[in-house]
Structures are given as C-alpha cells and as structure tokens.
Amino acid sequence: MNKSEITLNVNSEERSVYVRHSDTLLYVLREELGLTGAKPGCLNGDCGACTVDVDGQAMKSCLMLAIEAVGKKITTVEGLQNIPLKTAFIKKFAFQCGYCTPGFLMNSNSLINNYPQADDIQIKDCLESNICRCTGYKEIEEAVKSVLADGSTGNGNY
Amino acid sequence: MISYDFEYFKPSSIDKAISLFQSLDQQGKEPIYFSGGTEIITLGRVNKIKTGAVIDIKEIPECLVLKRESNKLTFGAAQTLNRIRESQYFRFLNKAIGEIADHTARNKITLGGNMCANIIYRETILPLLLTDSQVIIAGPGGLKQLPLNEVFDQTLRLQRGELLIQIMIEEKESELPFLCIKKRRQWDVGYPLMTIAALKKDQQIRFAFSGLCSYPFRNEKMDGSLNNQALPKEARIEEAMRQIPAPVLKDVHGSEDYRRFVFKNTLLDVLDTIGGTEIE
Ligand SMILES: Cc1cc2nc3c(=O)[nH]c(=O)nc-3n(C[C@H](O)[C@H](O)[C@H](O)COP(=O)(O)OP(=O)(O)OC[C@H]3O[C@@H](n4cnc5c(N)ncnc54)[C@H](O)[C@@H]3O)c2cc1C
Ligand code: FES
Ligand code: FES
C-alpha cells in the first residue's frame, strides 16, 4: 500500500497526514484526523451525511479524494463554532436521532453564506441534497429559514 | 473507501495531460482522466472502475473556460454543473443541469464528466445534441473541433488517450424555444426514469431522449414522424415509437411497459406545449 504525505487545511489548522491517493476525504477526516463529525451514510453521494465545506462550497466528502483537497480550505462541523444556525436547529427541534445533522448543518451553512437572500426555490434546491432518515425536514427548513430571516450569517473559512 | 491504490496526477496543461496519459498507458497503468471524479470514486468503490492512475484535469486552464464571446458560448469540460448553471449563459442546458443529482453533488460533477460518464442518463448531452454544439478534443495529434452530433454515438467516441477540452455553441442556438421534462418514478430528486428534451427551430421540433434506451440519443426518423403534420398527434407518437433505435430499458426504476407509457404521455405533453413559447 503506497502512502504519501499531504497537508490539509482543516478548520483553519494545517494538518499533515499520510494518505493513499485513492482515499476519500471522508475517510481521511474520520480515520486519520479523528474528525468524526462528517458521517458515513451511503458513501455514494446520495445522502449528504458526509457534507463538509470546501472553499466556501458544500461538498460531499465521500465524492472527493483527500488529495484533491490539498491547497483548499476545509471546514467540518467541528469548525462551526457558535453560529446562530446551531441554536436555530435546537430551538426548532430540527433533529431526532441526529445522524444527518452535521451534514444538514454544513449544507445549510453554505446556503446561508452563498445565498443570503435565498428564496423558497433555492432553499429547496439546496436542502434536497441531504436525506433525513427520521424525516425531520419541516423543522430543518424552519430552522434555516429563521436564520435567513434574521440576516445572520454562518461561519467557516470564508 | 476504494479498495485498490492508484496514482494521482494533476497536470497544468493539455500537452502535459496528453503525454502523461501516453506514458502511464505504456507502463500498463490503465490511466483515466479525472474531472469531478464523482463517478470514478463511486464506481471505484464497488470495483466497477479500475485504474492504476488518474489524471486530474481541473488545473488545465482551457478546461475551466466559461465565456460568452463573439456570439459563441464556451464551456470548459472541467467546469462544475453549478458554475455553468450560475453563469446563466444557456437556459436549456441549465434546465437539464438543474435536474441532475442534487445541488451539493453539482458542486463537484463537471460537464465533461457527465458527457463522458458510464451512467446511462448523461442528460447534459441532450441540449448539446439539439443545438448543434461543437466539441474541442485534444489528443497526441493536437486539437480538433468537431460537431458533437458527429462524435456522439451512444457515447462520446474518443480515441484512447483523447481528452474532451471544451464544448462550444452558437449563442443564437441557445436562444431557441425549448422544453426539457424529466420524469422520475417518485419524489423530486433521485435517479431518473427518463428525460425528454425538445428544441424548436425553423418550425420543426427536434427531440432527444435519455433513460428510454441504454444511452441518450437523437434520432432523425423519430423527429420526422413527430413533425409529420399530416397525422394527428397520437398517430405521430405511435409512429415514432416504432422507430426507437434500441430496446427500451427495463430496470428497477421502471419496466419496459411503464417506460413506454410514460414516454407516450410525456411526448403528448411536449407536442401540446412547445408549439408556442419557451417553457422552463
Ligand atoms: C447523487 C448522485 C446523483 C446522480 N444523478 C444523476 C442524474 O440524475 N443524471 C445523470 O446524468 N447523472 C447522475 N449522476 C451521475 C453523475 O452524473 C456522474 O457521476 C457524473 O456525471 C460524472 O461527472 P464527473 O465530472 O464527476 O466525472 P468523472 O467521475 O471525473 O469522470 C466520469 C468518466 O468520464 C471520463 N472523463 C471525465 N472527463 C473527461 C474528459 N474531459 N475527457 C475525456 N474523458 C473524461 C472519466 O475518465 C470517467 O470515465 C449522479 C451522481 C450522483 C453522485
Ligand atoms: S455518505 Fe456521502 S453522500 Fe452519503
Ligand atoms: S435526525 Fe435522524 S436522520 Fe435526520
């Protein structure tokens, strides 16, 4: 097994790590860097549980190689500190088992940052990228809309 | 997790990519170009794509072009579906893009990757086939520009080691009335049943289909039948259905009969609506 050293900028920290070139970003974040916030679900790009932020865009980390992320700024749910979105998720009961929550938070954070004036169509278009097995969609949508209505921004490496 | 190892290269020019491919090929590494990588990673995970080396094309400037200039639209093959959609240059293509996968995945999926993918749907092909777009292809002999309709037959007919660089269309083609309808068995997202795209030019409607057979296509005979004003619409559709050039798909998304049923009714909707204005 050939491994080589790469440096990833994760949550504003430079992290050196040995990877196989075929390792996905999801695998490296969880298994090599101990950042278990991004969740493995389908591993096929369908569920969004593994969503992180790469250079300001929501990204399914099971669809990206770790080596592709060299030179980019990666934010995982561990890097989202004290943001109104998290409070809104709590206030609106926007989770049940919580497995999909990190993915929804990352995707919603990117939505709020990139489309602060998002209308219902844009919100639906973005949120459709994630699946919630407990089907808490309405509450998640309400949480996101409440933050957009407040005009508060998310955070991450922007 | 992909169970096998491969080498990863990220050349910064077309020449470097082409020569890298050749040398890796000579070493028996079975190299493949890597654009968004979404298909390579997902099929690689289940061992349906195997390779000893991937050549990432996202640092080649020509593959990232996105411009409207001299009445032409140019799309670099490594541009993501979301960037292309946000450029708002080509509404017909945007409509097809908006139905592919989901917003987050479209931050990664690229136009060239979708056109060259193994997946049967490849819906970005439909508007490009209907608007007589051109493709720029690089190979060991240099660059060539060809009509997509000439090089696309079930798949994009690339020679070994050739790389799709850009897709170009005349701006006036992008302004023609169109319709693009995607049918799924259930919900608004998820894998498609079929997509029917139509474009009206010179009082004729051109059609292209994805998900009906095992590859996307445009067919002149079917166009002829569907435009035959001497027949009522239902009869035109019956005639067109007799000309479908390959077996109709049957899979988990729908049986052959179900696909034929949906195809017929959707075509009727298309004929009813595209007579007039552009619809999105
Ligand atoms: C959640 C999800 C839902 C999806 N839903 C749909 C859908 O509804 N409709 C649909 O059409 N697709 C769908 N797909 C499939 C998706 O379209 C493909 O994974 C995608 O098109 C591949 O694009 P890519 O840029 O990631 O290509 P890559 O994975 O990089 O490449 C795909 C293939 O094309 C070759 N290739 C790439 N670029 C070039 C080039 N410039 N020149 C020569 N060869 C090249 C590669 O070698 C490889 O064989 C879905 C995928 C996911 C993850
Ligand atoms: S685990 Fe990545 S999308 Fe499901
Ligand atoms: S809260 Fe359980 S999967 Fe969404």
Side-chain angles (χ1 to χ4, degrees):
Chain A
M1 196 191 288
N2 281 329
K3 285 201 169 191
S4 45
E5 190 180 14
I6 60 170
T7 302
L8 295 176
N9 182 306
V10 191
N11 301 330
S12 304
E13 278 178 28
E14 299 287 326
R15 304 278 307 261
S16 289
V17 57
Y18 283 90
V19 302
R20 295 185 312 140
H21 290 180
S22 57
D23 281 340
T24 59
L25 180 60
L26 174 65
Y27 175 83
V28 170
L29 288 171
R30 292 180 58 85
E31 306 298 329
E32 304 290 343
L33 298 177
L35 294 165
T36 54
K39 296 284 178 267
C42 63
L43 303 179
N44 197 46
D46 293 308
C47 74
C50 65
T51 305
V52 298
D53 189 294
V54 178
D55 279 353
Q57 304 285 335
M59 198 58 74
K60 294 182 173 180
S61 59
C62 71
L63 292 181
M64 185 171 209
L65 300 176
I67 198 167
E68 280 186 273
V70 171
K72 299 183 186 302
K73 289 186 165 191
I74 305 157
T75 307
T76 66
V77 75
E78 289 90 343
L80 287 191
Q81 300 292 335
N82 308 319
I83 53 165
L85 186 63
K86 279 191 183 172
T87 319
F89 264 60
I90 296 166
K91 266 196 196 151
K92 301 281 177 187
F93 296 100
F95 46 83
Q96 291 175 51
C97 78
Y99 197 79
C100 68
T101 310
F104 265 107
L105 282 171
M106 296 313 297
N107 186 19
S108 309
N109 188 58
S110 148
L111 162 69
I112 291 162
N113 281 310
N114 291 319
Y115 312 102
Q117 312 294 332
D119 58 18
D120 283 0
I121 295 172
Q122 263 173 322
I123 295 170
K124 184 165 181 270
D125 190 37
C126 285
L127 291 186
E128 275 175 352
S129 305
N130 295 58
I131 293 174
C132 172
R133 187 69 179 78
C134 307
T135 66
Y137 296 110
K138 193 77 203 138
E139 292 79 5
I140 295 169
E141 190 185 331
E142 279 172 14
V144 173
K145 283 187 172 169
S146 72
V147 178
L148 281 167
D150 278 356
S152 352
T153 51
N155 81 351
N157 297 311
Y158 300 100
Chain B
M1 172 150 168
I2 299 173
S3 62
Y4 59 89
D5 286 349
F6 54 63
E7 289 176 68
Y8 173 89
F9 299 91
K10 201 172 191 182
S12 56
S13 73
I14 297 175
D15 286 351
K16 283 182 191 158
I18 302 292
S19 53
L20 199 52
F21 190 101
Q22 286 179 305
S23 67
L24 291 166
D25 208 19
Q26 278 158 12
Q27 295 164 42
K29 299 251 166 86
E30 304 268 327
I32 47 173
Y33 293 115
F34 184 103
S35 195
T38 62
E39 186 171 89
I40 296 172
I41 295 170
T42 50
L43 294 188
R45 190 175 64 86
V46 290
N47 290 322
K48 285 194 178 156
I49 286 186
K50 276 212 143 188
T51 175
V54 301
I55 304 173
D56 192 334
I57 61 166
K58 293 194 288 292
E59 214 144 81
I60 301 174
E62 291 87 343
C63 293
L64 296 172
V65 167
L66 189 54
K67 68 175 182 195
R68 173 163 45 196
E69 211 172 86
S70 315
N71 304 320
K72 273 198 175 59
L73 306 176
T74 308
F75 302 103
Q79 270 297 351
T80 65
L81 296 188
N82 275 352
R83 285 243 170 79
I84 291 174
R85 193 172 180 216
E86 280 167 10
S87 76
Q88 309 253 356
Y89 287 159
F90 186 4
R91 288 200 294 149
F92 191 3
L93 180 59
N94 285 356
K95 176 70 180 144
I97 286 176
E99 302 285 348
I100 293 176
D102 57 68
H103 188 272
T104 307
R106 293 193 298 266
N107 279 334
K108 192 85 192 331
I109 297 172
T110 65
L111 179 59
N114 188 251
M115 291 171 70
C116 297
N118 293 281
I119 192 170
I120 57 169
Y121 303 108
R122 290 169 276 153
E123 288 122 290
T124 55
I125 286 283
L126 307 182
L128 299 172
L129 282 176
L130 293 177
T131 49
D132 294 331
S133 61
Q134 304 266 319
V135 285
I136 314 279
I137 295 168
L143 290 178
K144 57 186 178 188
Q145 179 172 340
L146 294 163
L148 177 64
N149 278 304
E150 258 176 38
V151 270
F152 189 85
D153 178 13
Q154 303 189 18
T155 60
L156 195 62
R157 298 284 162 179
L158 297 175
Q159 304 296 318
R160 187 154 184 79
E162 280 187 339
L163 174 65
L164 174 66
I165 304 289
Q166 287 169 352
I167 301 90
M168 290 165 79
I169 76 150
E170 297 290 333
E171 200 174 358
K172 61 178 177 4
E173 294 280 318
S174 74
E175 287 154 8
L176 294 167
F178 68 90
L179 201 61
C180 188
I181 300 180
K182 179 159 178 168
K183 293 284 181 190
R184 294 179 181 82
R185 199 157 124 189
Q186 48 194 347
W187 307 308
D188 291 345
V189 279
Y191 284 84
L193 184 73
M194 72 174 68
T195 300
I196 298 183
L199 180 91
K200 196 172 184 188
K201 188 176 180 186
D202 305 330
Q203 295 312 308
Q204 293 285 304
I205 307 174
R206 301 167 172 187
F207 293 85
F209 312 102
S210 146
L212 181 64
C213 304
S214 61
Y215 52 87
F217 66 92
R218 197 181 148 182
N219 182 281
E220 271 178 31
K221 285 187 186 155
M222 289 176 77
D223 275 1
S225 305
L226 291 166
N227 281 285
N228 182 356
Q229 304 289 335
L231 294 175
K233 285 175 194 154
E234 284 80 358
R236 284 188 237 167
I237 294 170
E238 290 296 341
E239 199 180 281
M241 286 179 71
R242 286 193 288 274
Q243 326 257 20
I244 297 172
V248 171
L249 276 181
K250 39 182 182 247
D251 57 22
V252 287
H253 305 294
S255 64
E256 177 178 344
D257 283 349
Y258 180 62
R259 273 198 163 82
R260 284 183 179 275
F261 169 78
V262 173
F263 183 65
K264 188 173 168 180
N265 288 310
T266 312
L267 270 180
L268 207 51
D269 289 346
V270 173
L271 287 179
D272 281 342
T273 45
I274 200 164
T277 45
E278 190 168 320
I279 296 160
E280 262 194 276

